[in-house]
Amino acid sequence: MSALLPGRGAGLSLYVRSRALPGTVAALLGTAAAAAWSASWLQSQPGLDHAARVPVVALAPLLAASVIGTSLYAASEELDRTATRPWPGRRTAHLLALTALAVAALALAVPGRPELFGGQAIVRNTLGSVGVTAAAAALIGARQSWLPMTAYIGTVYIAAPAAPGGAAALWGWPMQPGPQPGAWAMAAGAFAGGAALYAWRGARPPVRNG
């Protein structure tokens, strides 16, 4: 069958190489491995409990989203526009596949009961972080797409109260334990909106001097 459709295989191979997807997958798996080690080490320290994993639950999704965002860069926007297949579907598949890998790997890396800072919280934060990063790729470019979420995480990490719930579940959703409905609504909305914007517009091309 592949012999009858040589263009399809060649096009897919070109797409994979142009987005550096093998390196992206390796970086996501490395992020999950580092998260697993860090979470285990933090929780094993005397006097610390599951809440010690908050830095991992907040920062590992940020790193994974940054890796995914970088892979959204298109080296040649003009070449992409000449493709015969519709790009929104390909962009969506690209983003969803990498997000699914990041979500699964990080959920396995940091398990825990839903009420704790474990798998449910890290899945929510990964979805929300990827959504914000995808929107940033469409608006400011893939190479800078990590900046808005990094600034946001840094702000809420400092400002969010220790007690869960309340208004902080909305504006400080990355710092909430797993089952907070408001935090999930914000993260899901960020992912849906960011994915839709990226699928529609693609990554903003870099500004070329001269």
Side-chain angles (χ1 to χ4, degrees):
M1 184 69 178
S2 60
L4 299 177
L5 298 170
R8 178 176 298 178
L12 179 60
S13 177
L14 177 61
Y15 183 89
V16 167
R17 292 198 307 272
S18 68
R19 266 63 177 184
L21 291 184
T24 299
V25 170
L28 289 176
L29 295 178
T31 298
W37 181 87
S38 299
S40 176
W41 182 83
L42 286 169
Q43 195 169 352
S44 70
Q45 300 307 297
L48 299 181
D49 58 12
H50 68 274
R53 299 189 298 187
V54 170
V56 178
V57 170
L59 298 179
L62 171 63
L63 182 56
S66 299
V67 170
I68 292 173
T70 302
S71 79
L72 304 181
Y73 172 73
S76 176
E77 183 191 20
E78 293 79 9
L79 181 61
D80 287 355
R81 291 184 185 278
T82 63
T84 56
R85 289 185 176 82
W87 275 98
R90 185 170 291 188
R91 293 182 191 123
T92 300
H94 175 159
L95 186 64
L96 291 182
L98 291 180
T99 302
L101 174 62
V103 163
L106 289 176
L108 292 173
V110 186
R113 299 193 302 275
E115 70 274 15
L116 306 182
F117 289 97
Q120 192 177 101
I122 207 165
V123 165
R124 179 201 65 220
N125 287 356
T126 302
L127 290 174
S129 297
V130 170
V132 173
T133 302
L139 296 174
I140 65 175
R143 287 178 171 173
Q144 294 80 36
S145 62
W146 57 275
L147 289 170
M149 195 62 200
T150 300
Y152 179 64
I153 286 286
T155 300
V156 299
Y157 191 88
I158 296 171
L170 300 178
W171 63 262
W173 54 267
M175 301 303 296
Q176 297 291 306
Q180 294 294 322
W184 269 99
M186 294 297 291
F191 179 73
L197 182 62
Y198 170 70
W200 173 48
R201 294 188 57 175
R204 180 177 178 177
V207 176
R208 301 184 187 281
N209 296 325

